[in-house]
Amino acid sequence: MVITLKPGTTEKGIQHVLDKIKELGFTPHVSKGAERTIIGVIGENAIRSREIFQAMFIVESVMPISRPYKLVSREFKSEDTVVKVGNVEIGGNKEIAVMAGPCAVESRTQLLKVAQEVKEAGARILRGGAFKPRTSPYSFQGLGEEGLKYLAEASEVTHLPVVTEARNVRQVELVARYAHIVQVGARNMQNFDLLKEVGRGKKPVLLKRGMSSTVKEFLMSAEYILSSGNYDVILCERGIRTFEDGTRFTLDLSAVSLIKQLSHLPVIVDPSHATGNRDLIGPMSRAAIAAGSDGLMIEVHSRPEEALSDGFQSIRPDDFRKLMKEVRSVARALGRKG
Amino acid sequence: MVITLKPGTTEKGIQHVLDKIKELGFTPHVSKGAERTIIGVIGENAIRSREIFQAMFIVESVMPISRPYKLVSREFKSEDTVVKVGNVEIGGNKEIAVMAGPCAVESRTQLLKVAQEVKEAGARILRGGAFKPRTSPYSFQGLGEEGLKYLAEASEVTHLPVVTEARNVRQVELVARYAHIVQVGARNMQNFDLLKEVGRGKKPVLLKRGMSSTVKEFLMSAEYILSSGNYDVILCERGIRTFEDGTRFTLDLSAVSLIKQLSHLPVIVDPSHATGNRDLIGPMSRAAIAAGSDGLMIEVHSRPEEALSDGFQSIRPDDFRKLMKEVRSVARALGRKG
Amino acid sequence: MVITLKPGTTEKGIQHVLDKIKELGFTPHVSKGAERTIIGVIGENAIRSREIFQAMFIVESVMPISRPYKLVSREFKSEDTVVKVGNVEIGGNKEIAVMAGPCAVESRTQLLKVAQEVKEAGARILRGGAFKPRTSPYSFQGLGEEGLKYLAEASEVTHLPVVTEARNVRQVELVARYAHIVQVGARNMQNFDLLKEVGRGKKPVLLKRGMSSTVKEFLMSAEYILSSGNYDVILCERGIRTFEDGTRFTLDLSAVSLIKQLSHLPVIVDPSHATGNRDLIGPMSRAAIAAGSDGLMIEVHSRPEEALSDGFQSIRPDDFRKLMKEVRSVARALGRKG
Amino acid sequence: MVITLKPGTTEKGIQHVLDKIKELGFTPHVSKGAERTIIGVIGENAIRSREIFQAMFIVESVMPISRPYKLVSREFKSEDTVVKVGNVEIGGNKEIAVMAGPCAVESRTQLLKVAQEVKEAGARILRGGAFKPRTSPYSFQGLGEEGLKYLAEASEVTHLPVVTEARNVRQVELVARYAHIVQVGARNMQNFDLLKEVGRGKKPVLLKRGMSSTVKEFLMSAEYILSSGNYDVILCERGIRTFEDGTRFTLDLSAVSLIKQLSHLPVIVDPSHATGNRDLIGPMSRAAIAAGSDGLMIEVHSRPEEALSDGFQSIRPDDFRKLMKEVRSVARALGRKG
């Protein structure tokens, strides 16, 4: 890290900082300028002592040099991680992994019908919420374990693996019993205990980006899961919160490319929640694949106008078929398996 | 709610919407304009059917008329809620309730020392984290139950009630055994299961605003707690995430006044986390009280440069004494008990 | 528009509002609910009186029904506008219009060289700044008219039309004398006098989105130009300001699709300024075309490490050739002329 | 500045960077770590060469050490600047300077009436717009020079100096002929030619913060004015754009304290535009003064419900009198002249 001292710091002040650095076992490199003195501190864990220096009154700023995450970084592992779920492979420039299904599991009939429809259109994984995080305590909160059972049945019938959300530490084991991928929702991206819990599990984890989390924080949250022992993590960009009110969130596709630079983990994109606007889901799906996304997560509902949650952002099976055709076409144009 | 139909919607389309409204048990009021038709739907729970209409292809937009929260609203209860913790009263234009102490409990000695110091300076409640939510899995995560025991001891010695955070549903009971107020942190503001858990408890709850949550969402999260049976909720503004990088977050003081309009619940302000800058804590504390805040939450550390977490935003006991004097002076100037 | 009255408004209060509506020449439609009364006001210009009602103490909110822009909207003109510049056509699902060149014109030699290079790689329009808006008064501000002359010469040699920025009302005529398209920069998107000035001109206008402007405001600014008489407007998405600090701005590609829904004007994307990161320009260019963008604006510099401004976000001619190949491939995959 | 090289950079690469630094006349200080090499570059203008290094492929990042502004900084001038306008002094912990009046000048009668009213309540400067920047080309754009004449007349009658906005470079001279302070609006904060134009003038300048500008950019814009020769600059915080939609903008009061640390220039606060909500103007005015603001800018309209622009955020003379009493009381409580 680099420590910058305030203008006018005395020799004694500089010495005080140098002593502290040495006491902590690091090597300081001093550069004295006309106005300010800067001190480079080299050492693998130097940045963990950051706060000690920030708290000193003669210190103007402390800047990290190396990145705060290790296991998720490209520097730690240069080749792409491929997460295997049944016979689906996610990451590593393989086939585009599309997860599709209803926002919430509403009934057995609804789920079996739509599962069959998304399968026929080319989805490789079935999505559907049994435990729904809802802004209002008065909204439909999901069918719970009953919903998980319907998902397991739909998976058996269609041979599609299933991804669904665990909303708190207590649900992780239950969800993992029925699902093939455990989802951590955007509102829980910094629920650190939940991250550790899914990190101790054996099932692959789909981690959604918090709506106001930087890419760095997103990777730090993934680091929690990997450092707890689970390396099968799929990241999902789903829109960030900005001032723009023409869409529900702002889909941040440059984050996809940026993560690909910084990390070896697979990344997918959820344009349904990001835009909250049916008509933008097709274009944003094509754009996501063109930007290098390893897959998509799409809400499909046989009758969106009757959906118990988020009907406005669901598309019909027909539209989904068209979308699949287009994204495959884009993938092939860029030399990927469509 | 008000449903606006797209330009060019046919009579048949309009009739379809009207039928659905009536089927759901509400009364529609139609206004046909030159370009668009709008339909008012009156009924207490009409908005819960919002998504049904949003999903219709002829519908351009659906706008709510009444607010989505009930129990937390001024309309439900017009007089200020006063939360009583020991002999401290928070809310209702009473004495300013200042909660102070270290970011994290680091040791018995450290805590007892600073507890005494903040008490002497005029703090009414002791704060200190035993379970710390940290961005990095490699940072100090708190002393856990050991920290809770030190807090209980410090409370006994100083007669100050204690507030500390429960980070997940499993910790709520444990924390409530030792603390007088259970804190839900900003990163957990939409951890809905945790909200329900503290809502089923008997201890007052300090709910911090999520860093990218609107005031409306903040109140909806409080509604989760009240609707689970616990009416003793204190709201805490602690800065929101914006593009400004000169401060850690942007302290949103207009939220304090806005909440006072919309809700009967007490509101306090945490300028330490919001600014991340020791020199701004004094001015922002004075401003918070001038804006109508019922209290403050301040990080105080006897030796900030040795703090294990967030040392940069902690002030020394001396500065805290000065701060207390100033905020009392502002309070009295505005006719409140200083 | 829809006026919502506060709960508890008396009959006399309601009558007062109704009288005012009629006085202004509009027709009110009243819906009385249990708690609130809402009044629909139909009439083409009703919303212009919005503030009159907002200022009434019994009014809770006033919501617009129709959109505030007219000439730029799809409702006004359903078919795509195609802006013709020389033999290049922008908009209407034609060939992808790529504008490329250096951030700033630095010298005659530099410009002629890079102009030739981008032409060979497939650019259809030459870009380059003669008047540069710079955050610091001490930064290079551009060559001024000298730069315009070099642009004109480069255009003659390569037969590429030229786009360059006019930074204030006084420069519009001068810039229009040399350039084929007059650019209004992001920082000037709400410089309303500049908008009117280019609106009174005859040259096509490239309007960049303000870094914190909503799509609605962006279209309103375009409306200024159209309502001043100039219908040849090209919109350009170039990233918005958010909390994310891993990229310079956040490229908002959903805005491209959204604008296509709302307006008939052509839209292009500038990934160079948006990302500020050379490695993301390729992926974001492909994604922009996949999202439906009519073109791109790319910074190309023969030797980026010697650029006088924004070298970090410039790519080399080699990379640009690769980029052109990829975006054409994506375009063709989606049935457009590559 | 500090240059960080990518991991794995060769000795030859390092030497290339060092040669360039020396060629530019600066002294490098190298620190080689296990993974990365960092190079400190000391020299007053080193940062101006930032882009040269950022553009090198082996460079990971370039971080500035010293601040980019000079004349506006506390380091350049430690004592507070006091701007004198007639017999009013703004800055330097003097009397609170309150500027009040209507959003727009609508008629001679309206202006003279409200000027008298705000004077009686304690305002020291009269505000009112003659050239209004409006989002829509169809909204009332102000009375122009006629409005300026009414302002001059109101100033003569009340002996209050006048502040009003110049919207483009051509209006500066005209506005300066009638007004005592020339205002640069938020949408023009980075209209660099306008900044230079008012910088070449002799009248004090009120510079409003752009709605998405960082404090650093705000100070850089002020630097444009000072470096053009005009040192009488008053900064005005007026709310920034965030995701929060309960208020029109988010008033950033920590910016006031932060600017006081970084700069010697006076700062005032405009709570009317920031909140867009009449009921929040009083609390935010009190908070602004408590945070250390040198003054306020308040919209007052005798009959807000008839205002031609922004009626919703105007308060009545009665409310203004109450507000003045409260802010004076806060000022005196903090040892300032009320």
Side-chain angles (χ1 to χ4, degrees):
Chain A
M1 67 187 156
V2 176
I3 300 173
T4 307
L5 304 184
K6 288 185 183 163
T9 300
T10 60
E11 276 306 313
K12 214 181 125 193
I14 297 173
Q15 198 51 52
H16 174 70
V17 180
L18 294 178
D19 290 349
K20 192 74 195 175
I21 293 169
K22 287 172 197 156
E23 185 194 322
L24 291 164
F26 305 114
T27 313
H29 293 76
V30 184
S31 313
K32 287 184 194 171
E35 270 185 66
R36 284 175 175 79
T37 295
I38 61 175
I39 305 172
V41 183
I42 300 289
E44 211 189 325
N45 297 314
I47 194 63
R48 295 196 204 164
S49 312
R50 179 180 194 165
E51 286 151 353
I52 293 172
F53 298 100
Q54 278 182 324
M56 293 180 175
F57 287 97
I58 55 174
V59 168
E60 189 168 283
S61 70
V62 181
M63 290 176 292
I65 294 300
S66 52
R67 309 193 190 285
Y69 40 82
K70 301 278 168 206
L71 305 176
V72 303
S73 74
R74 278 264 178 227
E75 293 168 24
F76 177 76
K77 175 167 180 278
S78 59
E79 70 278 23
D80 287 344
T81 286
V82 178
V83 175
K84 281 172 202 153
V85 186
N87 60 349
V88 187
E89 294 183 319
I90 306 163
N93 231 356
K94 308 273 178 178
E95 190 185 354
I96 294 165
V98 178
M99 313 181 178
C103 183
V105 179
E106 294 165 15
S107 72
R108 187 173 167 278
T109 328
Q110 166 242 19
L111 186 68
L112 288 175
K113 183 168 186 298
V114 79
Q116 205 60 54
E117 288 169 328
V118 300
K119 187 193 175 163
E120 275 158 28
R124 301 302 311 271
I125 292 170
L126 176 65
R127 61 146 292 154
F131 297 102
K132 297 301 301 172
R134 302 299 304 268
T135 308
S136 165
Y138 309 122
S139 297
F140 173 60
Q141 313 256 328
L143 293 180
E145 189 168 358
E146 191 189 341
L148 293 177
K149 284 178 182 164
Y150 298 154
L151 283 167
E153 185 182 346
S155 173
E156 242 173 78
V157 174
T158 58
H159 303 292
L160 295 180
V162 154
V163 56
T164 195
E165 178 166 357
R167 219 170 42 195
N168 73 56
V169 288
R170 283 187 192 133
Q171 291 167 355
V172 172
E173 205 201 307
L174 179 70
V175 167
R177 217 180 301 148
Y178 292 98
H180 305 84
I181 305 175
V182 179
Q183 179 176 321
V184 173
R187 286 168 184 78
N188 274 325
M189 194 204 83
Q190 293 197 316
N191 182 337
F192 302 113
D193 296 294
L194 183 57
L195 298 176
K196 286 187 230 167
E197 193 83 14
V198 297
R200 283 188 291 260
K202 301 240 174 295
K203 289 284 170 83
V205 177
L206 180 81
L207 177 64
K208 292 196 129 187
R209 180 181 181 187
M211 60 185 79
S212 69
S213 296
T214 61
V215 163
K216 199 176 101 182
E217 290 168 338
F218 192 16
L219 293 176
M220 288 307 294
S221 285
E223 184 84 12
Y224 260 96
I225 305 175
L226 272 73
S227 68
S228 299
N230 190 340
Y231 281 64
D232 285 336
V233 174
I234 305 155
L235 302 172
C236 179
E237 157 62 27
R238 45 76 74 210
I240 57 173
R241 187 155 267 187
T242 72
F243 63 84
E244 174 61 58
D245 55 5
T247 43
R248 203 168 152 213
F249 294 96
T250 296
L251 185 64
D252 180 10
L253 286 182
S254 34
V256 173
S257 310
L258 187 58
I259 291 171
K260 286 280 169 196
Q261 282 188 346
L262 302 173
S263 175
H264 52 85
L265 294 174
V267 191
I268 69 166
V269 169
D270 173 350
S272 306
H273 282 88
T275 64
N277 180 332
R278 234 168 359 222
D279 297 332
L280 301 186
I281 294 171
M284 287 306 104
S285 295
R286 302 190 306 253
I289 297 307
S293 176
D294 295 303
L296 296 167
M297 188 167 213
I298 309 281
E299 283 189 13
V300 180
H301 199 287
S302 308
R303 303 178 68 179
E305 64 277 20
E306 294 185 358
L308 291 181
S309 80
D310 283 341
F312 202 44
Q313 69 199 28
S314 291
I315 56 173
R316 296 168 196 270
D318 268 4
D319 297 319
F320 179 60
R321 264 188 292 278
K322 183 164 167 275
L323 180 156
M324 283 301 300
K325 232 193 226 169
E326 290 176 343
V327 298
R328 279 169 166 169
S329 178
V330 169
R332 278 189 302 261
L334 294 168
R336 293 172 61 184
K337 201 177 152 191
Chain B
M1 65 188 157
V2 176
I3 299 172
T4 307
L5 304 184
K6 288 184 183 164
T9 299
T10 59
E11 276 306 314
K12 213 180 127 194
I14 298 173
Q15 198 51 50
H16 175 69
V17 180
L18 295 179
D19 291 349
K20 191 75 195 174
I21 294 169
K22 287 173 197 154
E23 183 194 322
L24 291 164
F26 305 114
T27 314
H29 293 77
V30 184
S31 313
K32 289 186 193 172
E35 270 185 65
R36 284 175 174 78
T37 296
I38 62 175
I39 306 172
V41 183
I42 301 289
E44 210 189 325
N45 297 315
I47 194 61
R48 294 197 206 168
S49 313
R50 179 180 195 165
E51 286 152 352
I52 292 172
F53 297 100
Q54 277 180 324
M56 292 179 175
F57 287 95
I58 54 174
V59 167
E60 188 166 286
S61 70
V62 181
M63 290 175 292
I65 295 301
S66 52
R67 307 193 191 285
Y69 39 83
K70 302 278 168 206
L71 306 175
V72 303
S73 75
R74 277 263 177 228
E75 291 168 25
F76 176 78
K77 174 166 180 281
S78 59
E79 70 278 21
D80 287 344
T81 285
V82 178
V83 175
K84 280 172 201 154
V85 186
N87 61 349
V88 186
E89 293 183 322
I90 305 163
N93 230 357
K94 307 274 178 177
E95 189 186 355
I96 294 164
V98 178
M99 314 183 178
C103 182
V105 178
E106 293 164 18
S107 72
R108 187 172 167 277
T109 329
Q110 166 243 21
L111 187 68
L112 289 174
K113 185 169 184 297
V114 78
Q116 206 62 52
E117 288 169 329
V118 300
K119 187 195 175 159
E120 275 159 27
R124 302 300 311 272
I125 292 169
L126 176 65
R127 62 145 291 154
F131 297 102
K132 297 300 301 173
R134 302 300 303 269
T135 307
S136 165
Y138 310 121
S139 297
F140 174 60
Q141 312 256 328
L143 293 180
E145 187 166 3
E146 191 190 341
L148 294 177
K149 285 178 182 165
Y150 298 153
L151 283 166
E153 185 182 345
S155 173
E156 240 173 78
V157 174
T158 58
H159 303 291
L160 294 180
V162 154
V163 57
T164 196
E165 178 166 356
R167 219 172 40 196
N168 73 56
V169 287
R170 285 189 192 130
Q171 293 168 351
V172 171
E173 205 199 310
L174 179 70
V175 168
R177 218 179 302 147
Y178 293 96
H180 305 84
I181 305 176
V182 179
Q183 178 176 322
V184 173
R187 286 168 184 79
N188 275 323
M189 194 204 86
Q190 293 197 318
N191 182 336
F192 302 114
D193 295 294
L194 182 57
L195 298 176
K196 286 187 229 165
E197 192 83 14
V198 298
R200 283 187 291 261
K202 303 241 173 296
K203 290 284 171 81
V205 177
L206 180 81
L207 177 64
K208 291 196 130 186
R209 180 180 181 188
M211 60 187 77
S212 67
S213 296
T214 62
V215 163
K216 200 176 101 183
E217 289 168 339
F218 192 16
L219 293 176
M220 287 306 295
S221 285
E223 184 85 12
Y224 259 96
I225 304 175
L226 273 73
S227 68
S228 299
N230 190 341
Y231 281 64
D232 284 337
V233 174
I234 305 156
L235 302 172
C236 179
E237 157 63 25
R238 45 79 70 211
I240 57 172
R241 185 155 268 185
T242 72
F243 62 84
E244 173 61 58
D245 56 4
T247 44
R248 204 170 150 209
F249 294 95
T250 296
L251 186 66
D252 181 11
L253 287 181
S254 34
V256 173
S257 310
L258 188 59
I259 291 170
K260 286 279 169 197
Q261 282 187 348
L262 301 173
S263 175
H264 52 85
L265 293 174
V267 191
I268 69 166
V269 168
D270 173 350
S272 307
H273 282 88
T275 64
N277 179 333
R278 235 165 2 221
D279 297 332
L280 302 185
I281 295 171
M284 288 306 103
S285 295
R286 304 191 305 254
I289 298 305
S293 176
D294 295 303
L296 296 168
M297 186 166 217
I298 309 282
E299 283 190 14
V300 180
H301 199 287
S302 307
R303 304 178 70 180
E305 63 277 20
E306 294 185 358
L308 291 181
S309 82
D310 283 342
F312 203 46
Q313 70 199 26
S314 290
I315 56 173
R316 296 167 195 272
D318 269 5
D319 298 320
F320 180 59
R321 266 189 292 277
K322 186 166 166 270
L323 180 156
M324 284 300 301
K325 233 193 222 168
E326 289 176 345
V327 299
R328 279 168 167 168
S329 180
V330 169
R332 280 190 302 261
L334 295 169
R336 292 171 61 183
K337 200 176 152 192
Chain C
M1 66 189 158
V2 176
I3 300 172
T4 307
L5 304 184
K6 288 186 183 163
T9 300
T10 59
E11 276 306 314
K12 212 180 128 194
I14 297 173
Q15 198 51 52
H16 175 70
V17 180
L18 294 179
D19 290 349
K20 191 74 195 176
I21 293 169
K22 287 174 196 154
E23 184 195 322
L24 291 164
F26 305 113
T27 314
H29 294 77
V30 185
S31 313
K32 287 184 194 173
E35 270 185 65
R36 284 174 173 79
T37 296
I38 61 174
I39 305 173
V41 184
I42 302 288
E44 210 190 328
N45 298 314
I47 193 62
R48 295 197 204 168
S49 313
R50 178 179 195 168
E51 286 150 353
I52 292 172
F53 297 100
Q54 278 181 324
M56 293 178 173
F57 288 95
I58 54 174
V59 168
E60 188 168 283
S61 70
V62 182
M63 290 176 292
I65 296 299
S66 52
R67 309 194 190 282
Y69 41 82
K70 302 279 169 204
L71 305 175
V72 303
S73 74
R74 279 262 178 228
E75 292 169 23
F76 177 77
K77 174 168 179 280
S78 59
E79 70 278 20
D80 286 344
T81 285
V82 177
V83 175
K84 280 173 200 151
V85 186
N87 60 348
V88 187
E89 293 183 320
I90 305 163
N93 231 356
K94 306 276 178 176
E95 190 185 355
I96 294 164
V98 178
M99 313 182 179
C103 182
V105 178
E106 294 165 17
S107 73
R108 188 174 166 275
T109 328
Q110 167 243 17
L111 186 68
L112 289 175
K113 184 169 185 298
V114 79
Q116 205 62 51
E117 288 169 328
V118 300
K119 187 191 176 165
E120 276 158 28
R124 302 298 313 268
I125 292 170
L126 177 65
R127 61 145 292 155
F131 297 103
K132 298 299 303 172
R134 302 302 302 269
T135 308
S136 165
Y138 309 122
S139 298
F140 174 60
Q141 313 257 325
L143 293 179
E145 187 167 0
E146 193 189 339
L148 294 177
K149 284 178 182 165
Y150 298 153
L151 283 167
E153 187 183 344
S155 172
E156 240 172 80
V157 174
T158 57
H159 303 292
L160 295 180
V162 155
V163 57
T164 196
E165 177 167 357
R167 217 171 43 197
N168 73 56
V169 288
R170 283 186 193 132
Q171 292 168 352
V172 172
E173 205 200 310
L174 180 69
V175 167
R177 218 180 301 147
Y178 292 96
H180 304 86
I181 305 175
V182 179
Q183 179 177 322
V184 174
R187 287 169 182 78
N188 274 324
M189 194 204 84
Q190 292 196 317
N191 182 335
F192 302 114
D193 296 294
L194 182 58
L195 298 175
K196 287 187 227 165
E197 193 83 14
V198 297
R200 282 187 293 260
K202 303 241 174 294
K203 289 285 171 81
V205 178
L206 180 81
L207 178 65
K208 292 195 129 187
R209 181 181 180 188
M211 59 186 78
S212 67
S213 296
T214 61
V215 163
K216 199 175 102 181
E217 289 168 340
F218 192 16
L219 293 175
M220 288 306 294
S221 284
E223 184 86 10
Y224 259 96
I225 304 175
L226 272 72
S227 68
S228 299
N230 190 343
Y231 281 64
D232 285 337
V233 175
I234 305 155
L235 302 172
C236 180
E237 157 63 25
R238 46 77 69 208
I240 57 173
R241 187 155 267 186
T242 71
F243 62 84
E244 173 60 60
D245 55 6
T247 44
R248 203 168 151 211
F249 295 95
T250 296
L251 186 65
D252 180 10
L253 287 182
S254 35
V256 173
S257 310
L258 187 59
I259 291 170
K260 286 279 167 199
Q261 282 187 347
L262 301 172
S263 175
H264 51 84
L265 293 174
V267 191
I268 68 166
V269 168
D270 174 350
S272 306
H273 282 88
T275 63
N277 179 332
R278 235 171 355 224
D279 298 332
L280 302 186
I281 296 172
M284 287 306 104
S285 295
R286 303 191 304 254
I289 297 306
S293 176
D294 295 304
L296 297 167
M297 187 165 214
I298 308 282
E299 282 190 16
V300 180
H301 199 287
S302 309
R303 304 178 68 180
E305 64 277 21
E306 294 185 357
L308 292 180
S309 81
D310 283 341
F312 202 44
Q313 70 199 29
S314 291
I315 56 172
R316 295 168 197 270
D318 268 4
D319 298 319
F320 179 59
R321 263 189 293 276
K322 184 166 166 270
L323 180 157
M324 284 300 301
K325 234 191 222 169
E326 290 176 344
V327 299
R328 278 170 167 166
S329 179
V330 170
R332 279 190 303 259
L334 295 168
R336 292 173 60 185
K337 199 177 150 191
Chain D
M1 65 188 159
V2 176
I3 300 173
T4 307
L5 304 185
K6 289 185 183 164
T9 300
T10 59
E11 277 306 313
K12 212 182 125 194
I14 298 173
Q15 199 51 51
H16 174 70
V17 180
L18 295 179
D19 289 349
K20 191 74 194 176
I21 293 169
K22 288 172 197 158
E23 184 194 323
L24 291 164
F26 304 114
T27 314
H29 294 76
V30 185
S31 314
K32 287 184 194 172
E35 269 186 66
R36 283 175 175 79
T37 296
I38 61 173
I39 305 172
V41 184
I42 301 288
E44 212 191 324
N45 298 314
I47 193 61
R48 294 196 206 167
S49 312
R50 177 180 195 166
E51 285 151 355
I52 292 171
F53 297 100
Q54 277 180 324
M56 293 180 175
F57 288 96
I58 54 175
V59 168
E60 187 166 286
S61 70
V62 181
M63 290 175 292
I65 297 299
S66 53
R67 309 192 191 286
Y69 40 82
K70 302 278 168 204
L71 306 174
V72 304
S73 74
R74 278 263 178 228
E75 292 169 22
F76 177 77
K77 176 168 179 276
S78 59
E79 70 278 21
D80 287 345
T81 284
V82 177
V83 175
K84 282 173 200 153
V85 186
N87 60 348
V88 187
E89 293 183 320
I90 306 162
N93 230 356
K94 307 274 179 177
E95 190 186 355
I96 293 164
V98 178
M99 314 182 178
C103 182
V105 178
E106 293 164 17
S107 73
R108 187 173 167 276
T109 328
Q110 166 244 18
L111 187 67
L112 289 174
K113 184 169 184 299
V114 78
Q116 206 62 54
E117 288 169 328
V118 300
K119 188 194 174 158
E120 275 159 27
R124 301 298 313 271
I125 292 170
L126 177 64
R127 61 145 293 156
F131 297 102
K132 297 301 300 171
R134 302 300 303 269
T135 307
S136 165
Y138 309 121
S139 298
F140 174 60
Q141 313 257 327
L143 293 179
E145 188 166 1
E146 191 189 341
L148 294 176
K149 285 178 181 164
Y150 298 154
L151 282 167
E153 186 182 345
S155 173
E156 241 173 77
V157 174
T158 58
H159 302 292
L160 295 180
V162 155
V163 57
T164 195
E165 177 167 355
R167 218 170 41 197
N168 72 57
V169 288
R170 284 187 192 130
Q171 291 168 353
V172 172
E173 206 200 308
L174 180 70
V175 167
R177 219 180 299 148
Y178 292 97
H180 304 84
I181 305 175
V182 179
Q183 178 176 322
V184 174
R187 285 168 185 79
N188 275 324
M189 194 203 83
Q190 291 197 318
N191 183 335
F192 302 113
D193 295 294
L194 183 58
L195 298 176
K196 286 187 229 168
E197 193 84 14
V198 298
R200 283 187 291 261
K202 303 239 175 296
K203 290 287 171 79
V205 177
L206 180 81
L207 178 64
K208 293 195 130 187
R209 180 180 182 188
M211 60 187 78
S212 67
S213 296
T214 61
V215 163
K216 198 176 100 181
E217 289 168 339
F218 192 17
L219 293 175
M220 288 306 295
S221 285
E223 184 85 11
Y224 259 96
I225 305 175
L226 272 73
S227 68
S228 299
N230 190 342
Y231 281 64
D232 285 338
V233 175
I234 305 154
L235 302 172
C236 180
E237 157 63 27
R238 45 78 71 210
I240 58 173
R241 185 155 270 186
T242 72
F243 63 84
E244 173 62 58
D245 56 4
T247 45
R248 203 169 150 211
F249 294 95
T250 297
L251 186 64
D252 181 10
L253 287 181
S254 35
V256 173
S257 310
L258 187 58
I259 291 170
K260 286 280 168 196
Q261 282 188 347
L262 301 173
S263 176
H264 51 84
L265 294 173
V267 191
I268 68 166
V269 168
D270 173 350
S272 306
H273 283 87
T275 63
N277 178 334
R278 232 165 4 219
D279 298 333
L280 301 185
I281 296 171
M284 287 306 104
S285 296
R286 304 191 304 254
I289 297 306
S293 177
D294 295 304
L296 296 168
M297 187 165 213
I298 308 281
E299 283 190 13
V300 180
H301 199 287
S302 308
R303 304 179 68 178
E305 64 276 22
E306 294 186 357
L308 292 181
S309 80
D310 283 342
F312 202 45
Q313 71 199 30
S314 290
I315 56 173
R316 295 167 197 270
D318 269 3
D319 298 318
F320 180 60
R321 264 188 293 277
K322 184 165 166 274
L323 180 157
M324 283 301 300
K325 234 193 224 167
E326 290 176 343
V327 298
R328 279 169 166 167
S329 180
V330 169
R332 278 190 302 261
L334 294 168
R336 293 173 60 183
K337 201 178 150 191

